[in-house]
Amino acid sequence: MAENANNPTTGTTDAESVTTIVAAVQEEMKPPQESSKEAPNKVEKTRLARIIVGSIAILTFLLSLPVLASIIWLLYMKSYDCESLLRLPKLQIGIGVALLFVFLISNLVVFLRAKAHALGLLVVMVPLILMLTVGLALVGAYKNESKAVIGSPTWLKDKVYNDNYWNYIKSCIYNSRMCDDLAARSLSLKSDDFSAKKLSPIECLIYVMFHVSAAKFGCCRPPVICEMEYVNATYWRRNDHLGVGSDGADDEDCDAWQNDEDVLCYDCMTCKDGFLKVIRNKWWRLGLFLVLMSLLLIVAHLLLFIATVWERFGGM
């Protein structure tokens, strides 16, 4: 034992053995330390991905709410006077039912995005693209093809200016008694009220028919170019010169006007123009709504698909 204590070589060997063991232990402990540093980063990425996916999902749901509101508007809103002669109420109901399916499919894809994100994207894109196509047709984006699309500006113009259709529309406008309402508004007004204010015929018209639709403007009064003297809403006194404009249609409208409440200006081009303007504005706005909502939902679902894939692969 005295020899071992006095032998420096043995002490050195023991120290080296201890150092080697410590180094081995440190090497074994080093990988767990690195993995423990990476674990929080991965958790943070996963959490960030979930927040992004959840935010886009909520946004997509909120974007679908105006579609639901439009469904209620289309299914419960009363159609315009004489619109049924052009089969437009049936189109209105059809678009409302189609939008209901779009609303349901869109939200179903949002809620089932984790199970079938790729299939869900394909399923939702089909009705959205059809919605976009119909909307573009209603706003008149397809100049050549829009004649075959019910409700498009060209289709409406062809129907309204068709004499066979207009005869039915004209009878419907007369039976709706829209000009009677105009006459009732003018009972409290006197011609002196207008002469004292030195208003022109068109200013008199605006004064009497404030908030009156374009159809009433065109069907219940003579064209402005005729320069007739205002008496009341449905009676205008003719001047010696009529229709001094260069447009032959204006001259014909001046001749077609009669103070008879059964005739008035129902055969005038201005009556057709007014009726067309009222109907076309409604369907143009609906088409614009379909275009905007379809584009927003397409973008939202694409972003939701990308974010879902990102979340599924751990935010890499």
Side-chain angles (χ1 to χ4, degrees):
M1 293 179 64
E3 293 179 357
N4 292 336
N6 296 326
N7 190 352
T9 305
T10 304
T12 303
T13 303
D14 293 340
E16 291 178 352
S17 299
V18 173
T19 304
T20 303
I21 294 172
V22 172
V25 172
Q26 290 178 349
E27 288 294 331
E28 291 179 358
M29 295 180 64
K30 187 175 181 180
Q33 290 178 354
E34 292 180 354
S35 61
S36 63
K37 291 180 181 179
E38 293 178 357
N41 293 333
K42 188 174 181 179
V43 172
E44 290 178 1
K45 289 182 179 180
T46 303
R47 185 181 302 171
L48 177 61
R50 289 179 179 176
I51 293 175
I52 294 175
V53 171
S55 300
I56 298 177
I58 294 174
L59 177 62
T60 305
F61 172 74
L62 293 177
L63 286 176
S64 68
L65 294 181
V67 176
L68 180 62
S70 68
I71 295 169
I72 299 174
W73 179 73
L74 287 170
L75 295 181
Y76 290 96
M77 186 195 72
K78 182 181 177 182
S79 60
Y80 288 170
D81 291 334
C82 310
E83 207 176 13
S84 59
L85 297 175
L86 301 177
R87 298 177 296 172
L88 293 178
K90 293 182 179 179
L91 176 63
Q92 182 174 311
I93 295 175
I95 293 178
V97 174
L99 288 178
L100 179 60
F101 281 103
V102 171
F103 174 79
L104 294 176
I105 293 173
S106 175
N107 288 285
L108 187 64
V109 169
V110 171
F111 294 130
L112 299 179
R113 62 186 181 276
K115 297 181 179 180
H117 51 277
L119 180 61
L121 179 66
L122 293 176
V123 170
V124 77
M125 282 299 161
V126 173
L128 288 178
I129 292 175
L130 290 176
M131 178 178 169
L132 175 62
T133 303
V134 173
L136 290 174
L138 291 179
V139 298
Y142 309 120
K143 298 298 181 181
N144 296 327
E145 295 84 357
S146 60
K147 290 184 178 180
V149 179
I150 299 177
S152 65
T154 305
W155 185 90
L156 291 172
K157 185 176 180 179
D158 289 341
K159 297 301 181 184
V160 172
Y161 290 155
N162 185 296
D163 291 337
N164 293 329
Y165 276 95
W166 180 248
N167 288 331
Y168 292 106
I169 296 173
K170 178 178 65 174
S171 299
C172 178
I173 293 175
Y174 174 77
N175 292 330
S176 66
R177 314 302 296 181
M178 66 168 56
C179 293
D180 290 350
D181 175 65
L182 195 59
R185 296 189 182 196
S186 65
L187 291 178
S188 60
L189 301 174
K190 300 178 181 179
S191 59
D192 295 340
D193 296 335
F194 299 101
S195 60
K197 295 182 180 182
K198 297 181 180 181
L199 299 177
S200 65
I202 185 61
E203 290 173 330
C204 295
L205 189 64
I206 295 175
Y207 186 85
V208 176
M209 296 186 292
F210 187 67
H211 292 319
V212 177
S213 68
K216 291 183 181 180
F217 269 105
C219 302
C220 306
R221 46 138 292 205
V224 178
I225 196 173
C226 298
E227 298 183 358
M228 294 186 185
E229 182 182 354
Y230 174 86
V231 178
N232 59 46
T234 57
Y235 190 91
W236 297 69
R237 186 176 294 112
R238 291 176 178 268
N239 293 326
D240 295 335
H241 61 287
L242 296 177
V244 295
S246 58
D247 191 351
D250 293 328
D251 294 338
E252 294 178 359
D253 284 355
C254 294
D255 295 333
W257 166 263
Q258 294 186 29
N259 289 314
D260 186 351
E261 293 184 1
D262 295 335
V263 180
L264 297 179
C265 213
Y266 293 125
D267 290 322
C268 299
M269 286 298 298
T270 54
C271 186
K272 295 180 181 179
D273 294 339
F275 179 78
L276 177 62
K277 183 177 180 181
V278 172
I279 300 298
R280 185 168 55 190
N281 284 346
K282 170 190 172 180
W283 290 96
W284 184 87
R285 291 170 184 167
L286 177 60
L288 182 62
F289 171 80
L290 294 178
V291 171
L292 293 177
M293 291 308 306
S294 60
L295 290 176
L296 289 175
L297 287 174
I298 287 174
V299 172
H301 278 284
L302 286 174
L303 293 176
L304 182 62
F305 170 76
I306 295 173
T308 304
V309 173
W310 185 50
E311 178 191 17
R312 193 162 191 173
F313 287 95
M316 299 299 294

